[in-house]
Amino acid sequence: NAGVTQTPKFQVLKTGQSMTLQCAQDMNHNSMYWYRQDPGMGLRLIYYSASEGTTDKGEVPNGYNVSRLNKREFSLRLESAAPSQTSVYFCASRTSSSGTDTQYFGPGTRLTVL
Amino acid sequence: SQQGEEDPQALSIQEGENATMNCSYKTSINNLQWYRQNSGRGLVHLILIRSNEREKHSGRLRVTLDTSKKSSSLLITASRAADTASYFCATERDSSYKLIFGSGTRLLVRP
């Protein structure tokens, strides 16, 4: 049981390049999330998927797209990377069972855009 | 903008002392959660308190919630060097399952 996994762990991009961050969970959770964390700050929600087949914008969705490929996988795509997207990206998941509100986080992807 | 603001931003204490962190938020909530983040790692859930609860305990952790003041506090008793980490509060406002995080408190526990 690996929990939430993210690939890659590190990435350096040039301005204008595109890339996809991958996230997978093996806990059979319904909901999945993408956050970004800038230095010295808390996490900000980019996009989330409350259940398979649905996605919604969070606080800071501009410049990103997401795909909920199936129940396990939720990817985040940067179509044209900008230096302002340099950050650490975290994926999380949670079940929708009543009374279980904990989010489980992956280890993060450190992205630098030059 | 972030829902929660934490105070202090940084805290340095001696091993064995208690550490108290505070969180204030802006809107009504369903629950408030505290997470811990070790340097370079993902977040780990510590404790959740619902809007109709006032106090909750888990091991050396004690969380209080005052909905009239829109504030919460996390107390870590008998701190250990291994408690050194950043601590974040996060609020869930409704049934959307979205969490809004505060900016965090960096705790240093000196051996």
Side-chain angles (χ1 to χ4, degrees), chain A residues 33 37 42 48 94 101 103, chain B residues 35 37 50 92 97-98 102:
Chain A
Y33 308 81
Q37 184 178 31
Y48 70 104
R94 66 170 269 183
D101 302 315
Q103 289 194 15
Chain B
Y35 286 80
Q37 183 180 35
R50 300 194 183 281
E92 186 174 284
Y97 303 147
K98 293 188 291 185

Side-chain angles (χ1 to χ4, degrees), chain B residues 15-35:
Chain B
E15 204 165 27
E17 293 180 337
N18 295 342
T20 299
M21 291 159 256
N22 302 297
C23 169
S24 61
Y25 56 92
K26 298 173 185 171
T27 65
S28 61
I29 60 172
N30 270 0
N31 64 68
L32 186 144
Q33 306 178 31
W34 286 90
Y35 286 80

Side-chain angles (χ1 to χ4, degrees), chain B residues 2 4 7 10 14 19 22 32 34 36 46 50 57 60 64-66 71 73 75-76 83 88 100 104 109:
Chain B
Q2 302 201 254
D7 169 57
Q14 203 72 35
N22 302 297
L32 186 144
W34 286 90
R36 165 191 168 131
L46 293 176
R50 300 194 183 281
H57 296 254
R60 293 184 296 113
T64 61
L65 180 65
D66 186 335
S71 67
S73 67
L75 169 67
I76 303 174
D83 293 329
F88 296 91
I100 307 296
V109 182

